[in-house]
C-alpha cells in the first residue's frame, strides 16, 4: 500500500428513479477530478440505466464503469475482478445510509486494503420517528452508546474514513463511540455536480414559453416515496404504513408548496413550472396541484408531464429565478449555480436536511410545521422582491461545500486525516 491512493473504486449509483440519487456518483467523480486529478475513480454502480450511462459518457468521457456483483465465489465479471485487483481503496458513495454490508465484508476478508464512506447519512431515528431537525438533534444526544448493531459499528470502526454528509450523523457515530476511522463532516457529493444539458433546457423553456431568469421551479413530493408502486412490487407492511401516512398528509404538505407558487406568481408576475425530482412526482403534481391553486395562478403554471434527465434538470435550474423544493437535492443543484432556493422539509425526512445549516444556511430550510405556510410566503416574497441575499446564500453554501469536499477528497487520496474546521456558525439550525 503506497502512501498515495491512485485508484479509487466507487460503489455508488443506488437508483435511477430519483435524479438526486443519480447525481451522487457524477458529483463524487467531479470532486475527485477537481481536487485530486492524479487519482482515477472507477465507478461500480448498483443500478444504472442507459439514460444515466449516456449522461456519464458525455460528462466524463474517460470514466471507467464496471458492472458485476460479489458473492462467496467472488466477483461475477472479469472487469469487476480487475477493478478490485487494481484499486487502492474501496469507497462507499454518498447516500441515505451505509448500504454496502456485503461488499464491505467481502473487501475486508479477501482484499484487506483501505475502505471508507464518502458523504453518508446514518439516521437511526427517522423513520419511523417524525421530528424537526432540533428534535432529531436532541434525540441523537439521548441515544445510548450501544444502540447500533455490533456488525454495523464494526464496519465503521474498521474503516479508514467515514465522512458524514451532515453533523447529526457525525454526532450519532461519535455517540456510538466510533473511534477507528477518520471521522469528519464531508458533504454530499451532489454539491460538486455541475454538468448541464443547455440544449435540452432551452428546448423545454421554448416549449413552455419561458425565458431564462424569468420563471421559478417547484418540486413536489410525498412524505415517503411509494417504491412498491414505482417498481411494481407487492407492498410490505412498512410500505402500507407509509402509504397511509402519505394519503393522510399529501393535501396539507402540497398546500404549502401551492402557497409558495401563489406567492411567486402574485409578487413577481412571472410564471412557475412544476418539475419532478423523483419519477412518481409527475403523476402526483398532475393529480394534486391544480386543485390547490387559484384559477388565476394556475394559468401561469406549467406542469412537466415526464420524468426528466438529471442534466436537463440542472440546465433548467441554472437559468431559473428560484427553486422551491420538497426534495433535498434540487436545492443542492440550484445552489451549485448560485440560484436562490428554499427547501421545504417534511417531518419524516432524515437528518440529512441538517447539511444546509452545516454549510452556513440554516434559513434555507423551512420545516413543514404549523408555521410553514406563513414562513414560505415570506421567504418567496423576499426573494421575488430582492433576490440578491438569496443568491449570496446559495454562493455561500456552494463555496463551503467545495472547501469541505476538497479536504475530503485529498484526505481519501493521501490517507491523512481530513483536518477540517468546524462547520459554519450562523445561528440556530
Amino acid at each position: 500500500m503506497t502512501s498515495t491512493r491512485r485508484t479509487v473504486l466507487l460503489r455508488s449509483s443506488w437508483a435511477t428513479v430519483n435524479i438526486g440519487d443519480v447525481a451522487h456518483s457524477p458529483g463524487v467523480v467531479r470532486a475527485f477530478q477537481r481536487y485530486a486529478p492524479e487519482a482515477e475513480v472507477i465507478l461500480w454502480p448498483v443500478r444504472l440505466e442507459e439514460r444515466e450511462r449516456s449522461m456519464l459518457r458525455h460528462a466524463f468521457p474517460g470514466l471507467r464503469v464496471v458492472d458485476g456483483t460479489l458473492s462467496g465465489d467472488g466477483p461475477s465479471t472479469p472487469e469487476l475482478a480487475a477493478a478490485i485487483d487494481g484499486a487502492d481503496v474501496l469507497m462507499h458513495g454518498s447516500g441515505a445510509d451505509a448500504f454496502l454490508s456485503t461488499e464491505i465484508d467481502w473487501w475486508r476478508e479477501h482484499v484487506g486494503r483501505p475502505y471508507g464512506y464518502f458523504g453518508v447519512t446514518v439516521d437511526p431515528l427517522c423513520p419511523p420517528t417524525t421530528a424537526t431537525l432540533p428534535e432529531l438533534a436532541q434525540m441523537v444526544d439521548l441515544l445510548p452508546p450501544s444502540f447500533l448493531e455490533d456488525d454495523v459499528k464494526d464496519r465503521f470502526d474498521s474503516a479508514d474514513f467515514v465522512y458524514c454528509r451532515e453533523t447529526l450523523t457525525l454526532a450519532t457515530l461519535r455517540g456510538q463511540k466510533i473511534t477507528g476511522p477518520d471521522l469528519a463532516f464531508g458533504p454530499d457529493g451532489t454539491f460538486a455536480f455541475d454538468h448541464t444539458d443547455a440544449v435540452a433546457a432551452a428546448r423545454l423553456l421554448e416549449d413552455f414559453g419561458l425565458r431564462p431568469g424569468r420563471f421559478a421551479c417547484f418540486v413536489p413530493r410525498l412524505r415517503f416515496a411509494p417504491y412498491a408502486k414505482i417498481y411494481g412490487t407487492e407492498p410490505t407492511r412498512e410500505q402500507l404504513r407509509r402509504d397511509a401516512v402519505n394519503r393522510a398528509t399529501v393535501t396539507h404538505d402540497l398546500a404549502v408548496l401551492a402557497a409558495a407558487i401563489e406567492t411567486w406568481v402574485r409578487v413577481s408576475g412571472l410564471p412557475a413550472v412544476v418539475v419532478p425530482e423523483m419519477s412518481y412526482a409527475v403523476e402526483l403534481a398532475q393529480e394534486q396541484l391544480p386543485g390547490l391553486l387559484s384559477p388565476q395562478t394556475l394559468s401561469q403554471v406549467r406542469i412537466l408531464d415526464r420524468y426528466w434527465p438529471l442534466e436537463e434538470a440542472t440546465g433548467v435550474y441554472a437559468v431559473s429565478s428560484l427553486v422551491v423544493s420538497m426534495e433535498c437535492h434540487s436545492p443542492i443543484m440550484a445552489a451549485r449555480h448560485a440560484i436562490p432556493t428554499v427547501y421545504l422539509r417534511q417531518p419524516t425526512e432524515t437528518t440529512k436536511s441538517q447539511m444546509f445549516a452545516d454549510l452556513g444556511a440554516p434559513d434555507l430550510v423551512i420545516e413543514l410545521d404549523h408555521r410553514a405556510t406563513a414562513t414560505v410566503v415570506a421567504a418567496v416574497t423576499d426573494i421575488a422582491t430582492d433576490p440578491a441575499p438569496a443568491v449570496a446564500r446559495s454562493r455561500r453554501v456552494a463555496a463551503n461545500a467545495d472547501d469541505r469536499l476538497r479536504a475530503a477528497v485529498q484526505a481519501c487520496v493521501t490517507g491523512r486525516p481530513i483536518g477540517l474546521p468546524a462547520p459554519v456558525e450562523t445561528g440556530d439550525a
Side-chain angles (χ1 to χ4, degrees):
M1 178 63 192
T2 60
S3 61
T4 300
R5 299 159 180 166
R6 298 290 183 183
T7 304
V8 178
L9 182 57
L10 170 63
R11 183 62 160 159
S12 187
S13 301
W14 319 115
T16 58
V17 297
N18 181 338
I19 61 172
D21 277 350
V22 173
H24 286 145
S25 297
V28 172
V29 173
R30 182 69 81 211
F32 272 78
Q33 285 187 340
R34 286 180 189 156
Y35 306 127
E38 74 280 10
E40 179 189 12
V41 177
I42 302 171
L43 176 60
W44 175 20
V46 174
R47 184 181 288 109
L48 211 57
E49 307 299 335
E50 178 53 35
R51 184 169 87 170
E52 290 70 37
R53 290 177 188 268
S54 177
M55 178 270 293
L56 289 170
R57 287 193 294 268
H58 283 88
F60 310 100
L63 177 64
R64 183 176 162 196
V65 179
V66 299
D67 294 300
T69 58
L70 281 175
S71 66
D73 296 327
S76 64
T77 63
E79 61 264 33
L80 176 58
I84 290 173
D85 186 58
D88 294 310
V89 59
L90 173 66
M91 190 166 70
H92 185 303
S94 292
D97 206 342
F99 301 113
L100 305 180
S101 57
T102 298
E103 290 89 335
I104 296 295
D105 290 346
W106 194 92
W107 182 271
R108 291 172 65 188
E109 180 178 355
H110 297 280
V111 179
R113 292 192 289 274
Y115 70 92
Y117 301 80
F118 193 97
V120 295
T121 286
V122 178
D123 184 349
L125 295 161
C126 188
T129 305
T130 61
T132 64
L133 283 170
E135 289 168 343
L136 284 174
Q138 183 180 19
M139 294 173 193
V140 164
D141 286 342
L142 294 172
L143 284 175
S146 59
F147 185 81
L148 289 183
E149 293 90 345
D150 289 343
D151 60 330
V152 175
K153 294 179 73 169
D154 184 55
R155 288 186 198 101
F156 283 131
D157 239 344
S158 299
D160 280 56
F161 57 90
V162 179
Y163 300 144
C164 309
R165 66 175 171 172
E166 26 69 32
T167 54
L168 289 181
T169 287
L170 187 59
T172 296
L173 296 185
R174 284 175 174 166
Q176 297 300 301
K177 308 303 181 186
I178 304 299
T179 58
D182 180 21
L183 183 61
F185 168 48
D188 191 313
T190 301
F191 280 104
F193 182 75
D194 58 3
H195 180 64
T196 65
D197 186 338
V199 173
R203 188 183 306 120
L204 185 147
L205 264 61
E206 183 179 0
D207 290 345
F208 277 157
L210 304 172
R211 289 184 292 161
R214 303 287 291 171
F215 69 95
C217 296
F218 297 84
V219 183
R221 69 161 281 147
L222 297 167
R223 295 200 176 187
F224 297 107
Y227 285 112
K229 183 177 181 180
I230 291 170
Y231 292 119
T233 59
E234 190 68 23
T236 64
R237 288 177 61 85
E238 173 60 16
Q239 287 171 330
L240 291 172
R241 182 190 74 82
R242 295 183 178 199
D243 182 58
V245 172
N246 286 340
R247 287 185 285 124
T249 58
V250 60
T251 300
H252 168 272
D253 290 0
L254 289 183
V256 179
L257 188 69
I261 297 172
E262 293 272 2
T263 303
W264 170 256
V265 171
R266 174 177 54 82
V267 176
S268 72
L270 298 175
V273 57
V274 180
V275 294
E277 187 169 307
M278 289 196 68
S279 59
Y280 78 87
V282 174
E283 181 181 347
L284 174 69
Q286 291 175 323
E287 291 184 351
Q288 298 288 334
L289 274 172
L292 296 172
L293 296 168
S294 68
Q296 297 91 334
T297 294
L298 190 57
S299 67
Q300 296 298 311
V301 175
R302 287 76 162 154
I303 299 178
L304 187 61
D305 62 358
R306 58 184 171 82
Y307 175 54
W308 56 349
L310 168 63
E311 63 273 31
E312 181 183 15
T314 53
V316 170
Y317 290 162
V319 296
S320 68
S321 304
L322 167 67
V323 175
V324 178
S325 178
M326 298 171 72
E327 296 273 8
C328 82
H329 284 88
S330 288
I332 295 175
M333 299 171 203
R336 177 77 273 160
H337 296 278
I339 301 301
T341 188
V342 174
Y343 171 42
L344 302 178
R345 181 188 181 275
Q346 293 164 301
T348 47
E349 194 53 274
T350 69
T351 59
K352 68 183 179 183
S353 316
Q354 176 68 23
M355 68 176 80
F356 297 106
D358 294 334
L359 294 170
D363 56 335
L364 191 152
V365 179
I366 296 175
E367 299 273 6
L368 276 182
D369 56 20
H370 66 281
R371 301 163 295 183
T373 298
T375 306
V376 77
V377 165
V380 172
T381 299
D382 287 346
I383 292 169
T385 304
D386 179 14
V391 170
R393 180 175 67 186
S394 288
R395 291 188 189 278
R396 181 171 68 249
V397 166
N400 288 336
D402 285 346
D403 287 344
R404 285 158 171 76
L405 284 168
R406 180 185 299 106
V409 165
Q410 292 174 353
C412 287
V413 171
T414 64
R416 293 192 293 270
I418 197 167
L420 279 178
V424 180
E425 297 280 348
T426 61
D428 294 335

